[in-house]
Amino acid sequence: YALSIACAGLVLFLSLISYDSADPSWNSAGTASYIHNWMNKPGAFLSDILLQTLGLGSFVFVFTLFAWSARTYRRESIRPIWLRIIALLASSVFLSVAFAKISSFGWLVHPYLGSASGTLILTKLSLLAQNYIPFIGSTIIILLSALC
């Protein structure tokens, strides 16, 4: 069981780090005749959807799978699983917000490493924070997201 969770984490990691925006995916036909993603077409589809929605926050899934694999290998419990899944989703969104203003330098289709969700959430929270904390509202939100 631990080995299969570790293999899932490895497959996800390899598909994320070998992401290429020219590969075919759900929202693009792809311009390359050769798929650059190391996990082939399924990896291209998976990495595209994760990196365009969560950006670097999608790497939380990789580290979580490796941590759960280590815990199951040591015969430790990963229960309550529903609570851990909620924490996993929240931490991936928080990390996405933390990277929402760092440039992706062309690696992602989105201009920032936080991608779509991180940028949208940071923008909305920054507008809200400007009413209460002018000038440094977005900086505080980014730092709090990074700490979470």
Side-chain angles (χ1 to χ4, degrees):
Y1 188 67
L3 184 60
S4 33
I5 296 174
C7 286
L10 182 63
V11 166
L12 182 59
F13 178 71
L14 291 175
S15 69
L16 288 174
I17 64 168
S18 64
Y19 170 76
D20 188 357
S21 60
D23 287 343
S25 63
W26 278 304
N27 64 349
S28 69
T31 57
S33 60
Y34 175 74
I35 297 176
H36 296 93
N37 196 297
W38 297 339
M39 297 294 112
N40 212 346
K41 201 170 187 176
F45 277 74
L46 182 64
S47 63
D48 180 69
I49 195 74
L50 284 174
L51 288 173
Q52 284 197 30
T53 55
L54 293 170
L56 284 187
S58 57
F59 281 93
V60 171
F61 293 104
V62 172
F63 298 125
T64 302
L65 287 172
F66 285 141
W68 287 355
S69 171
R71 286 184 63 92
T72 55
Y73 179 75
R74 292 188 309 257
R75 302 200 186 275
E76 296 174 1
S77 175
I78 55 172
R79 292 196 174 122
I81 192 73
W82 64 272
L83 203 57
R84 291 182 188 266
I85 290 173
I86 290 171
L88 167 67
L89 295 174
S91 61
S92 65
V93 171
F94 283 138
L95 190 63
S96 180
V97 171
F99 284 101
K101 288 296 179 187
I102 299 175
S103 176
S104 68
F105 298 106
W107 180 55
L108 300 176
V109 175
H110 199 276
Y112 299 112
L113 290 175
S115 215
S117 64
T119 305
L120 287 172
I121 293 170
L122 179 65
T123 302
K124 295 296 181 186
L125 290 176
S126 295
L127 290 174
L128 183 67
Q130 282 179 351
N131 295 333
Y132 301 105
I133 312 168
F135 304 115
I136 59 167
S138 62
T139 306
I140 291 173
I141 291 170
I142 290 172
L143 291 174
L144 288 176
S145 295
L147 290 175
C148 289

